[in-house]
Amino acid sequence: MRSIALLLASLLCTPATVLADDAGAEIAAAIRARFAAYRDGDADAWAKFVDDDCVCSGETKAAIRAGIANRPAGVKSSYGEPEEFVVHPHGNVAVARYRVAETVEVDGKRQVGAQWRTETYLQRDGAWLLIAGAETQIAPDPEPIALDRDALTRLVGTYEYTPGASDVVTLEGDRLFVQSSGEAKRELFAESRDTFFAKGQPWRLVFRTGADGEVDGVAFRQGGQEYAARRVE
């Protein structure tokens, strides 16, 4: 889903998987192979996908490599399949962004987290090497609350941020969905009567009511920013 804020501020984006021809497929394959080596504790195999001068989320390649090689036997660490993968190549340089789950198990106790990763790759001798990376941890989703159908029905409508950029909210059975301009639908879950979230996403949609008690707008909130839309249908 392309959140409507991205259409305004070059609009915040959580898109479906997009591969840019061969470069995207090759980088996706390199990420999977790097993750497999990390999971298996194979520091040498992992190192083949990373440039020696990589700026890797504040750590050096040497430090990460040592951590993999010296991982205690009682510790297991792995990454899942990259999701919502997007890559933008620029000649022999490419930027990739994706969401991934991380699982860490220590003496049988398992913890699972999720993060957005933004990574820069350089093509050298036919291979794409990681030269820089940044991680943003995704906070766990709140526990959704149940709302009756009447409470959801009042939210259905079209909300316009600017001409050509709208959120369309629909109800299918007892499930609420939002579809931003040009993007696929995403299911919404209630955090409160007027505040909704999508699983794995940091943003919130906050519905607003007018003096007559009817819903007349919505606010998209993320990272301290807010974008307001008025209800047009």
Side-chain angles (χ1 to χ4, degrees):
M1 169 186 173
R2 181 184 298 274
S3 94
I4 202 65
L6 196 58
L7 293 173
L8 298 172
S10 202
L11 299 144
L12 190 306
C13 173
T14 52
T17 299
V18 177
L19 297 179
D21 301 324
D22 293 341
E26 291 169 359
I27 291 171
I31 291 171
R32 293 187 184 100
R34 191 176 90 236
F35 283 172
Y38 181 85
R39 176 199 64 213
D40 297 340
D42 190 338
D44 291 339
W46 175 89
K48 293 178 181 178
F49 300 97
V50 182
D51 184 74
D52 288 344
D53 295 321
C54 179
V55 181
C56 298
S57 300
E59 294 188 84
T60 65
K61 176 183 177 178
I64 298 173
R65 184 174 184 173
I68 297 171
N70 299 318
R71 184 185 298 158
V75 177
K76 297 179 181 179
S77 185
S78 63
Y79 293 97
E81 178 71 10
E83 299 179 351
E84 302 189 54
F85 184 85
V86 179
V87 62
H88 297 285
H90 303 276
N92 67 337
V93 175
V95 177
R97 183 174 187 265
Y98 57 92
R99 182 164 60 91
V100 67
E102 180 181 14
T103 301
V104 177
E105 186 174 320
V106 180
D107 292 332
K109 296 180 180 180
R110 191 181 188 196
Q111 291 187 331
V112 179
Q115 56 192 230
W116 283 105
R117 287 194 163 202
T118 302
E119 298 177 336
T120 303
Y121 290 84
L122 175 68
Q123 189 177 41
R124 181 186 297 150
D125 298 328
W128 289 96
L129 296 178
L130 177 66
I131 61 173
E135 303 170 0
T136 301
Q137 298 300 318
I138 300 173
D141 292 326
E143 187 69 26
I145 66 171
L147 296 178
D148 61 33
R149 186 176 176 81
D150 288 342
L152 297 176
T153 299
R154 62 191 276 271
L155 308 176
V156 171
T158 298
Y159 300 84
E160 185 179 75
Y161 293 85
T162 191
S166 302
D167 278 349
V168 178
V169 178
T170 56
L171 187 62
E172 299 180 13
D174 293 323
R175 299 168 65 191
L176 198 68
F177 292 84
V178 63
Q179 184 170 17
S180 297
S181 299
E183 298 298 327
K185 289 188 296 185
R186 188 180 289 274
E187 187 170 2
L188 292 174
F189 298 86
E191 186 173 1
S192 68
R193 180 175 173 82
D194 297 313
T195 302
F196 289 76
F197 66 94
K199 290 184 177 179
Q201 303 300 325
W203 49 263
R204 296 292 186 270
L205 285 181
V206 182
F207 292 89
R208 293 174 168 171
T209 56
D212 59 0
E214 298 295 322
V215 176
D216 62 4
V218 70
F220 176 95
R221 292 179 180 172
Q222 180 174 342
Q225 301 295 315
E226 180 172 300
Y227 302 89
R230 63 186 182 90
R231 189 174 191 169
V232 294
E233 291 182 17

